[in-house]
C-alpha cells in the first residue's frame, strides 16, 4: 500500500462512520468542522482523497451530459473543491425540502458507500477464491463488511447516489456488494492500489470494473481454450503412461498456463510484439517446449528413450531434457512472433536476468526504442519467487536506464508448495508475489481451475505491459498433481492436500463440463477432441523410434558465420591496428567540447595521454583500454561495459564518462569518434553482482558481434554471482551448445588491502576450466590488454574471458607499452619471455621463475635491487587454455635452470594447484632436467589475505626472497 494510503488508514474500520460524518459537515459548511479537519480535507492528495472523493465517478463511464455533447462539469472534479458538493446537490434535488437530518443521512450513505468501494479496490483480493482445492481457509476481512461503515441489514435496498463510481449514478447497497464481489472477490483478485502512477492505476481500474473483471468469450474462443487444455493435459498423461515414474516435472494442475501464454502472444502480436524471450524452471518445461514452442513431440519422446537432443557429430556433455531450450516462429492470426526459450539449470530463478539481457540485446538489434517489439516472459514457481534473492535483484533492474527492457511478463505457477514445504513456512508475506510490489507492478491473482479467468487476466496483463512498459505479474494459484517429481511420494508430508488432489477433477475435465452445460459443445465433441489429440501423440511416438535431430541451432541467426572451436581454428585473430588510425583515435579520446567545464585533474590526465600517444611511448593501462574500445568502435563493433563504478573506474583510471563541473552534463569521448562508429554504452550498475552478471551474459548470448564486458568493483565480489558463473558462463556451451563472448574484469592483486580486496579467487575459475570452455588470463602489459580485448571479437568463435585486472599497476611506471606494440602484425601473447638483455648466457641461467600478474613487477624490482643476473622471469599471461607447447619452448632455452612457480596468493589458492602438474608436463615434454617446479608464495590459509599491513609486507618480502634466492 502506498505511503499516502497508509497515512489515511484511520479512514477505514471503526473510524469510518465518524470521519464520513465530519466530511459531510465539511461539504455543507467548511467552517462547521474543526480547523484541523478543515485543513485535512482541503489538503487531501490524489491517493488519500480517493477514499472520500469518488464523486467524479468512473472515468470510463459515459455521462448523460456528455452524450448531449456538453463538456463534463465540475461535478467530476472532486468533493472538497470550491463549488462542488454533488452529494448535497443531488440529495436536495431528489428529496426537495427534506429536513437537515434526512439530507445528512443521504449524504452519509454516499460517503460510506464510496469508502466501501475504495476498500474493496484495496483489499477485495483478501476475500477472493483463488485456491482450486479449497484448502486455504480465509476469514472474511472485517474491512470488507458493510457493517464496518455503519450499514445494517435494513439498508440493503435503499438507493445510494454514487455519481458514476462503478459506472452507476445510483445503486442499492445490495447491487453495490454484488458488483464488488464479482469484480474483486471472485476467482480473480487484483493488487493495484499500491501503484503510485495515477494513470496506470486508473487504467487497471477501468479494465477490471468496466467488464466486472470478466470476458465473455465467443464459442470459438471457448473451444480454443479447451483444445489447448486438452493438449497440455494429454501430453502429460501420455508421458506418464509411456514412461511411468520417469522425472519430467509435469504441468498437471497448472495446464491453464498454456492457453494463457497463447493469449499473451496473440494479443501482444496485435499490439506490435515481434519476439518473446522466455525463461522458466523445469516445472512444465516439456509442455512449454512442445505445446507452446512447437518442438516436435517425437523429439521429446526420442530424448526419453535416451537419445541426444543434438546431432551426434556435435560435441558437448548435454543436459537433461527439462533444462533444454529451443526457438521457433509462431503465427498468431498473421502476426509472426519469434519465440526463444532460454536453457536453464535446476537453479530455478537464476535464468531471469539472463533472459532480460537477451531481450535488451534483441531490442538494440531491432532498433526497438519504444521496447514494444521484444519482451521477456518469465515463468516462476511460487516458492522460488518468494525465496530466491535473484528475483528481487532482477526486479531491481526493471526501471534502470542501462538495463530496462520495457517491462517483463511474470507468470507464477503457484503450486501452493515448495518441494515439501508449505507456504506458511516458506515466506513471510501473504502472497508469494509480494516482492513485485517493490517495482509497483500490478499483480493478478487467479484460480488456475478457471481457465477463462486466467486467459482474461493474461490479456489485461499484456495490454498493460505494452501501454506502460512496466513489469506485470500473473499469480495462477493451482496445484501439483504429483510430488516434486513423478517418482516422489507427496503423501509423506502433505497427506491432506494430496488426498484432496486425488479426488479432484482436472482443469480440462472441469472446463469441458462447463462448456457442455453451457451448450457450447456436446460431451461427445469434448471426448473427440481428446481422442484426436491422443491419436496424434501415438503417431509421434511411433515416429520417435527413428527420429534424429538434423542440425544444431546454435550457429543460426546472429551467430551465422561463426564456428565451433577446434584444433584447426585460428586463435589469435587479427588484432593489430594501423598506427595512424590509433593516433587519430587517441587524439579524439583527449578532446572535449570547448564549453565543457572539465575537472582540472582529468584535463591534466588528458594532456598527458595526448603526449604519450603522439610520442608513441609510455602507453598506460587506461590508454590501451580506451584504444582497444575506440578501434573496435571505429570498425563498427559495438562495446557495452557495465558494473559498479565502471564509468569512472573503481580506481579512477578510466573516465569513460566525464561530467561538466557546473551542470553535471555528461560527455563520453568514445561516442564521438566517427559518424558511423559502433554503439558504445557504459553503465554504472546497481549494487548487484548476480543479476548484472546474468544480464550481461544474456546480452552476449544474443549479440556475439559486440564486445560485452562486466567489471567487478573488486574481483572477489564476483563470488556473489557464483551461480551464474558456474551454471551458465563456464558450462553453458558444453551443456546447451550456447557460446558467449562475455568478458569479466576482476581487479586482483595483493597490496595490503585485506581479505576482501586482494584476491579475485582465480583458483575457483581454474578449477572449472576444461574442454576449452573459457579463457583465464592475468595480463601484465597494456599491449596485451589491447590485443586480448580485440581478440574477443576478431576470431571466428566466442569464448568467455575471465580477466584479472590490476590496481596498483594502473599507474606503475614500468607497466607501459609502446604504441607500435598495438600496430600491424602484433598480437596477444599467452606467455611473455624474459625482456632483460643484461643477464648471463642462457645455459648459465640457474633459475626460471614463472609467475602471473602483478607479482612480476615486484619480482622485477627486487631482482634489480639485488643485482641478480642468473634468474629469468617468465610471465604466464593466459593460464587457461594452458600454453603447454609455448612454455616448453621457453624452458628449452634454459637447460640447466630449476623452475619455480611464484604467486602472491596462499598455496591452497591462486594458480599453484592448477599449474603444478601442467608445468611439469611442459618440462617432461622436452626432457628438461628440472623435472618438476617448486613453489614460492604464501603458506596455505583459510582467508585470502591478512588484514594487517605490517604482516602483509613481511609475507610479500618472504615470497620474493623465496623466489629469487638460490640455495
Amino acid at each position: 500500500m502506498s505511503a499516502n494510503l497508509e497515512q489515511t488508514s484511520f479512514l477505514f474500520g471503526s473510524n469510518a462512520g465518524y470521519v464520513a460524518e465530519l466530511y459531510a459537515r465539511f461539504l455543507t459548511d467548511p467552517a462547521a468542522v474543526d480547523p484541523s479537519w478543515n485543513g485535512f480535507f482541503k489538503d487531501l492528495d490524489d491517493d488519500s482523497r480517493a477514499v472520500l472523493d469518488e464523486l467524479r465517478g468512473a472515468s470510463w463511464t459515459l455521462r448523460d451530459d456528455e452524450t448531449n455533447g456538453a463538456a463534463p462539469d465540475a461535478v467530476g472534479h472532486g468533493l472538497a473543491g470550491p463549488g462542488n458538493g454533488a452529494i448535497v446537490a443531488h440529495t436536495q434535488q431528489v428529496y426537495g425540502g427534506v429536513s437537515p437530518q434526512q439530507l445528512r443521512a443521504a449524504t452519509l450513505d454516499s460517503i460510506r458507500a464510496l469508502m466501501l468501494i475504495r476498500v474493496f479496490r484495496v483489499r477485495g483480493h483478501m476475500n477472493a477464491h483463488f485456491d482450486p482445492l479449497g484448502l486455504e481457509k480465509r476469514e472474511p476481512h472485517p474491512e470488507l463488511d458493510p457493517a464496518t461503515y455503519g450499514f445494517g441489514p435494513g439498508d440493503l435496498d435503499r438507493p445510494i447516489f454514487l455519481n458514476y463510481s462503478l459506472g452507476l449514478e445510483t445503486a442499492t447497497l445490495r447491487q453495490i456488494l454484488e458488483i464488488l464481489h464479482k469484480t474483486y472477490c471472485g476467482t480473480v483478485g487484483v493488487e493495484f492500489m499500491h501503484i503510485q502512477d495515477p494513470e496506470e492505476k486508473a487504467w487497471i481500474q477501468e479494465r477490471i470494473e468496466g467488464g466486472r473483471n470478466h470476458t465473455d468469450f465467443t464459442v470459438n474462443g471457448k473451444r480454443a481454450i479447451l483444445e489447448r487444455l486438452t493438449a497440455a493435459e494429454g501430453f502429460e498423461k501420455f508421458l506418464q503412461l509411456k514412461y511411468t515414474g520417469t522425472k519430467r516435472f509435469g504441468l498437471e494442475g497448472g495446464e491453464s498456463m498454456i492457453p494463457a501464454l497463447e493469449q499473451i502472444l496473440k494479443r501482444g502480436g496485435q499490439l506490435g510484439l515481434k519476439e518473446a524471450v522466455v525463461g522458466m524452471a523445469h516445472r512444465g518445461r516439456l509442455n512449454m517446449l512442445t505445446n507452446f514452442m512447437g518442438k516436435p513431440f517425437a523429439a521429446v519422446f526420442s530424448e526419453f528413450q535416451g537419445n541426444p537432443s543434438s546431432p551426434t557429430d556435435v560435441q558437448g556433455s548435454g543436459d537433461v531434457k527439462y533444462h533444454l531450450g529451443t526457438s521457433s516462429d509462431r503465427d498468431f492470426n498473421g502476426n509472426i512472433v519469434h519465440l526463444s526459450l532460454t536453457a536453464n539449470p535446476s537453479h530455478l530463478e537464476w535464468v531471469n536476468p539472463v533472459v532480460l539481457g537477451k531481450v535488451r540485446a534483441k531490442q538494440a538489434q531491432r532498433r526497438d526504442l519504444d521496447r514494444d517489439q521484444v519482451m521477456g516472459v518469465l515463468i516462476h514457481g511460487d516458492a522460488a519467487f518468494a525465496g530466491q534473492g535473484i528475483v528481487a535483484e532482477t526486479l531491481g533492474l526493471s526501471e534502470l536506464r542501462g538495463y530496462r527492457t520495457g517491462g517483463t511478463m511474470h507468470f507464477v505457477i503457484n503450486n501452493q508448495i515448495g518441494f515439501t514445504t508449505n507456504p506458511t513456512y516458506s515466506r513471510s508475506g501473504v502472497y508469494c508475489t509480494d516482492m513485485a510490489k517493490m517495482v509497483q507492478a500490478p499483480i493478478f491473482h487467479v484460480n488456475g481451475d478457471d481457465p477463462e479467468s486466467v486467459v482474461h487476466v493474461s490479456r489485461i496483463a499484456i495490454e498493460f505491459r505494452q501501454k506502460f512498459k512496466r513489469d506485470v505479474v500473473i499469480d495462477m494459484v493451482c496445484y501439483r498433481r504429483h510430488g516434486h517429481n513423478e517418482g516422489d511420494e507427496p503423501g509423506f508430508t502433505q497427506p491432506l492436500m494430496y488426498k484432496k488432489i486425488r479426488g479432484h477433477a482436472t482443469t480440462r475435465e472441469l472446463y469441458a463440463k462447463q462448456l457442455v452445460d453451457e451448450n457450447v459443445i456436446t460431451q461427445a465433441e469434448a471426448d473427440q477432441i481428446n481422442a484426436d489429440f491422443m491419436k496424434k501423440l501415438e503417431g509421434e511416438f511411433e515416429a520417435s523410434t527413428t527420429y534424429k535431430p538434423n542440425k544444431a541451432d546454435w550457429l543460426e541467426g546472429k551467430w551465422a558465420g561463426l564456428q565451433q572451436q577446434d584444433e584447426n581454428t585460428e586463435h589469435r585473430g587479427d588484432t593489430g591496428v594501423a598506427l595512424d588510425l590509433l593516433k587519430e583515435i587517441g587524439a579524439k579520446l583527449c578532446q572535449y567540447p570547448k564549453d565543457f567545464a572539465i575537472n582540472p585533474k582529468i584535463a591534466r590526465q588528458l594532456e598527458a595521454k595526448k603526449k604519450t600517444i603522439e610520442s608513441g611511448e609510455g602507453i598506460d593501462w587506461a590508454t590501451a583500454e580506451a584504444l582497444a574500445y575506440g578501434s573496435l568502435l571505429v570498425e563498427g563493433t559495438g562495446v557495452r561495459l557495465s558494473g559498479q563504478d565502471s564509468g569512472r573506474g573503481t580506481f579512477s583510471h578510466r573516465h569513460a564518462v566525464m561530467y561538466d563541473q557546473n551542470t553535471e552534463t555528461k560527455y563520453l569521448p568514445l561516442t564521438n569518434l566517427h559518424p558511423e562508429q559502433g554503439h558504445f554504452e557504459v553503465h554504472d550498475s546497481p549494487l548487484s553482482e548476480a543479476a548484472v552478471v546474468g544480464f550481461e551474459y544474456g546480452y552476449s548470448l544474443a549479440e556475439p558481434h559486440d564486445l560485452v564486458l562486466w567489471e567487478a568493483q573488486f574481483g572477489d565480489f564476483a563470488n556473489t554471482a557464483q551461480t551464474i558463473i558456474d551454471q551458465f558462463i563456464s558450462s553453458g556451451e558444453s551443456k546447451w551448445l550456447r557460446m558467449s563472448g562475455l568478458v569479466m574484469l576482476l581487479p586482483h592483486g595483493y597490496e595490503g588491502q585485506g581479505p576482501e580486496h586482494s584476491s579475485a579467487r582465480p583458483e575457483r575459475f581454474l578449477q572449472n576450466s576444461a574442454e576449452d570452455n573459457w579463457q583465464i588470463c592475468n595480463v601484465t602489459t597494456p599491449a596485451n590488454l589491447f590485443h586480448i580485448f580485440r581478440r574477443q571479437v576478431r576470431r571466428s568463435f566466442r569464448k568467455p574471458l575471465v580477466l584479472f585486472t590490476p590496481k596498483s599497476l594502473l599507474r606503475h611506471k614500468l607497466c607501459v607499452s609502446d604504441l607500435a606494440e598495438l600496430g600491424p602484425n602484433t598480437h596477444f601473447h599467452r606467455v611473455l619471455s624474459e625482456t632483460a638483455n643484461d643477464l648471463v648466457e642462457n645455459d648459465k641461467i640457474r633459475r626460471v621463475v614463472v609467475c602471473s600478474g602483478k607479482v612480476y613487477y615486484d619480482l622485477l624490482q627486487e631482482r634489480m635491487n639485488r643485482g641478480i643476473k642468473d634468474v629469468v622471469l617468465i610471465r604466464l599471461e593466459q593460464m587457461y587454455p594452458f600454453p603447454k607447447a609455448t612454455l616448453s619452448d621457453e624452458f628449452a632455452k634454459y637447460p640447466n635452470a630449476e623452475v619455480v612457480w611464484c604467486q602472491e596468493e596462499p598455496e591452497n589458492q591462486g594458480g599453484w594447484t592448477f599449474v603444478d602438474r601442467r608445468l611439469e608436463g611442459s618440462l617432461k615434454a622436452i626432457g628438461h632436467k628440472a623435472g618438476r617446479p617448486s613453489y614460492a608464495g604464501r603458506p596455505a590459509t583459510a582467508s585470502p589475505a591478512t588484514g594487517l599491513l605490517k604482516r602483509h609486507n613481511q609475507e610479500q618480502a618472504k615470497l620474493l626472497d623465496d623466489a629469487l634466492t638460490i640455495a
Side-chain angles (χ1 to χ4, degrees), residues 129-132 182 186-188 213-215 217 222 225 229 253 255-257 259-260 445-458 476-479 504 506-508 510-511 514 518:
H129 306 289
F130 307 137
D131 181 8
K182 184 176 181 180
T187 56
V188 174
N213 216 354
H214 175 75
T215 296
F217 289 90
K222 292 173 181 283
I225 292 174
L229 290 175
E255 293 92 342
S256 292
M257 180 188 76
H445 306 282
V446 60
N447 190 316
D449 266 359
D450 184 355
E452 289 189 9
S453 289
V454 178
V455 174
H456 162 72
V457 300
S458 298
M476 186 183 74
V477 183
C478 52
Y479 58 91
H504 189 74
T506 68
T507 305
R508 187 201 66 82
L510 292 171
Y511 191 59
Q514 175 186 326
E518 293 175 355

Side-chain angles (χ1 to χ4, degrees), residues 743-926:
V743 179
M744 298 175 63
L745 304 177
L746 308 180
H748 173 82
Y750 281 63
E751 288 131 348
Q753 293 184 304
E756 276 68 58
H757 293 144
S758 297
S759 177
R761 309 308 294 256
E763 65 278 358
R764 295 182 176 176
F765 297 95
L766 292 170
Q767 183 185 40
N768 284 337
S769 299
E771 301 179 309
D772 283 341
N773 60 327
W774 56 8
Q775 307 149 101
I776 312 296
C777 299
N778 192 356
V779 303
T780 58
T781 70
N784 244 4
L785 177 75
F786 174 88
H787 290 295
I788 202 169
F789 281 154
R790 289 183 51 81
R791 187 179 74 163
Q792 276 298 98
V793 284
R794 290 295 176 263
R795 297 187 293 192
S796 60
F797 61 92
R798 296 291 178 265
K799 296 285 182 181
L801 168 62
V802 179
L803 183 60
F804 303 111
T805 55
K807 294 171 288 183
S808 61
L809 294 191
L810 296 173
R811 296 172 179 83
H812 198 291
K813 63 181 181 181
L814 298 179
C815 186
V816 293
S817 299
D818 290 340
L819 193 65
E821 295 177 75
L822 321 183
N825 301 316
T826 60
H827 55 81
F828 176 74
H829 294 277
R830 296 175 297 168
V831 176
L832 288 178
S833 306
E834 174 60 67
T835 58
N837 53 18
D838 61 345
L839 303 182
V840 300
E841 295 177 1
N842 287 356
D843 61 350
K844 292 183 172 58
I845 293 295
R846 301 174 62 194
R847 173 174 287 185
V848 173
V849 177
V850 185
C851 61
S852 187
K854 188 269 289 186
V855 72
Y856 164 76
Y857 289 95
D858 295 338
L859 289 165
L860 180 63
Q861 188 64 53
E862 187 66 16
R863 187 179 70 174
M864 293 170 58
N865 293 343
R866 298 187 183 190
I868 297 173
K869 302 297 183 181
D870 55 0
V871 175
V872 163
L873 304 179
I874 294 177
R875 284 169 276 177
L876 183 59
E877 302 281 282
Q878 177 175 295
M879 303 176 78
Y880 186 82
F882 190 77
K884 177 181 177 181
T886 304
L887 280 170
S888 292
D889 292 342
E890 286 296 317
F891 293 148
K893 297 177 184 177
Y894 313 106
N896 299 313
E898 59 186 16
V899 175
V900 173
W901 169 261
C902 180
Q903 66 177 38
E904 296 182 294
E905 303 85 359
E907 187 175 6
N908 59 322
Q909 300 169 32
W912 170 239
T913 56
F914 180 83
V915 302
D916 179 17
R917 290 296 124 91
R918 289 171 174 80
L919 290 173
E920 181 181 353
S922 293
L923 291 166
K924 286 186 175 180
I926 58 172

Side-chain angles (χ1 to χ4, degrees), residues 196 209 275 432 459 519 544 567 580 604 673 721 737 796:
Q196 295 182 17
E209 289 185 359
E275 189 165 358
C432 65
R459 182 183 179 95
N519 294 319
S544 70
E567 65 242 16
D580 289 345
R604 289 193 294 271
L673 300 177
L737 304 180
S796 60

Side-chain angles (χ1 to χ4, degrees), residues 583 586-592 598-620 622-623 653-655 658 669:
K583 289 187 176 182
K588 291 187 176 181
L589 290 174
C590 300
Q591 296 173 358
Y592 50 89
I598 194 170
N599 183 289
K601 292 181 180 179
I602 296 179
R604 289 193 294 271
Q605 291 178 22
L606 293 181
E607 189 61 33
K609 188 189 299 287
K610 181 180 179 181
K611 292 179 179 178
T612 62
I613 292 172
E614 290 174 348
S615 68
E617 298 177 347
I619 303 297
D620 63 10
T623 304
H653 78 287
R654 183 175 292 122
H655 297 296
M658 298 188 295

Side-chain angles (χ1 to χ4, degrees), residues 91-119:
T91 305
Q92 290 173 334
Q93 176 184 351
V94 172
Y95 295 103
V98 297
S99 68
Q101 290 79 12
Q102 291 173 313
L103 179 62
R104 175 178 168 276
T107 303
L108 285 175
D109 271 355
S110 294
I111 297 297
R112 289 165 176 164
L114 293 173
M115 294 173 72
L116 179 64
I117 292 169
R118 168 71 176 188
V119 82

Side-chain angles (χ1 to χ4, degrees), residues 271-469:
L271 298 173
L273 185 67
K274 304 294 184 184
E275 189 165 358
V277 183
V278 184
M280 68 181 301
H282 37 282
R283 175 75 56 208
R285 193 178 188 93
L286 297 182
N287 221 307
M288 169 76 81
L289 284 166
T290 52
N291 282 314
F292 183 69
M293 301 293 300
K295 182 174 181 176
F297 292 104
V300 174
F301 298 149
S302 175
E303 291 164 19
F304 268 95
Q305 295 158 17
N307 298 313
S309 60
S310 300
T312 54
D313 60 342
V314 175
Q315 297 179 0
S317 63
D319 200 352
V320 292
K321 47 194 163 291
Y322 41 79
H323 289 173
L324 301 176
T326 192
S327 62
S328 64
D329 289 323
R330 292 284 309 275
D331 187 338
F332 295 92
N333 297 337
N335 294 309
I336 306 299
V337 180
H338 180 73
L339 306 177
S340 59
L341 177 62
T342 305
N344 190 30
S346 287
H347 292 62
L348 304 176
E349 302 291 335
W350 285 80
V351 74
N352 296 355
V354 178
V355 166
L356 298 195
K358 291 181 67 175
V359 170
R360 175 82 175 211
K362 289 173 178 288
Q363 289 174 341
Q365 292 163 359
R366 289 179 175 268
R367 304 289 194 271
D368 183 13
L369 301 180
D370 293 330
R371 307 197 186 283
D372 53 13
Q373 297 180 38
V374 188
M375 177 181 73
V377 179
L378 296 178
I379 316 296
H380 309 274
D382 52 320
F385 195 91
Q388 296 199 327
I390 190 66
V391 174
E393 288 195 37
T394 304
L395 286 169
L397 300 178
S398 63
E399 295 298 314
L400 301 182
R401 180 177 180 181
Y403 310 91
R404 62 191 176 204
T405 60
T408 299
M409 183 68 59
H410 300 272
F411 193 100
V412 181
I413 305 174
N414 188 342
N415 295 313
Q416 307 183 77
I417 192 171
F419 203 167
T420 64
T421 305
N422 289 325
T424 51
Y425 295 98
S426 65
R427 65 173 186 261
S428 298
V430 176
Y431 298 113
C432 65
T433 53
D434 286 346
M435 184 68 68
K437 294 179 183 177
M438 66 181 278
V439 293
Q440 299 182 56
I443 303 168
F444 298 89
H445 306 282
V446 60
N447 190 316
D449 266 359
D450 184 355
E452 289 189 9
S453 289
V454 178
V455 174
H456 162 72
V457 300
S458 298
R459 182 183 179 95
I460 297 175
I462 182 61
E463 290 174 352
F464 179 88
R465 188 273 173 191
Q466 291 297 88
K467 180 174 179 62
F468 295 106
K469 304 302 186 293

